[in-house]
Amino acid sequence: MNEIMGTTFLENGKWLLRHEGGAGNKVPLLGPNEVLVQLKHGQAQIFEGSYGRDHRGVVIAAHVASIKTFEKASTDPVQSP
C-alpha cells in the first residue's frame, strides 16, 4: 500500500479524487463501503491505497483501503476572533 493524497468530490453519485500530481484531473475513487461513507465532498485527505494505471502509466483510478487523515480543504484564511 502507498500513501494517496488528494481532494474528494461527489459527482453524480460517484466519488472522485483530484490526486496530488494529477494536473487537476479527477479519477474514480474506489474502496470498501465502510471507507467511502466517511468521505466528504471537497475535503483534502490522505489514504492508504494504490493507483490503477493504464498501459502508458497514466492514473485511471484510485483504490483506497483506509483513510489516514482528514484535512479541511479551503483557500479561505483562518481568522481568529
Side-chain angles (χ1 to χ4, degrees):
M1 293 280 164
N2 296 313
E3 193 171 82
I4 295 175
M5 295 183 278
T7 304
T8 55
F9 297 92
L10 183 60
E11 296 180 1
N12 298 320
K14 295 184 181 183
W15 283 105
L16 302 174
L17 181 73
R18 181 182 298 140
H19 61 98
E20 181 181 84
N25 296 329
K26 297 175 190 169
V27 296
L29 181 61
L30 310 171
N33 194 48
E34 54 269 9
V35 172
L36 298 179
V37 297
Q38 299 177 53
L39 302 179
K40 293 183 181 171
H41 179 80
Q43 189 167 22
Q45 300 189 33
I46 301 173
F47 301 96
E48 276 293 319
S50 61
Y51 291 118
R53 299 178 184 271
D54 68 8
H55 67 283
R56 298 169 294 161
V58 176
V59 173
I60 58 172
H63 304 271
V64 298
S66 64
I67 299 172
K68 290 180 73 173
T69 63
F70 290 96
E71 299 173 16
K72 184 177 182 208
S74 174
T75 56
D76 298 332
V78 175
Q79 302 202 4
S80 57

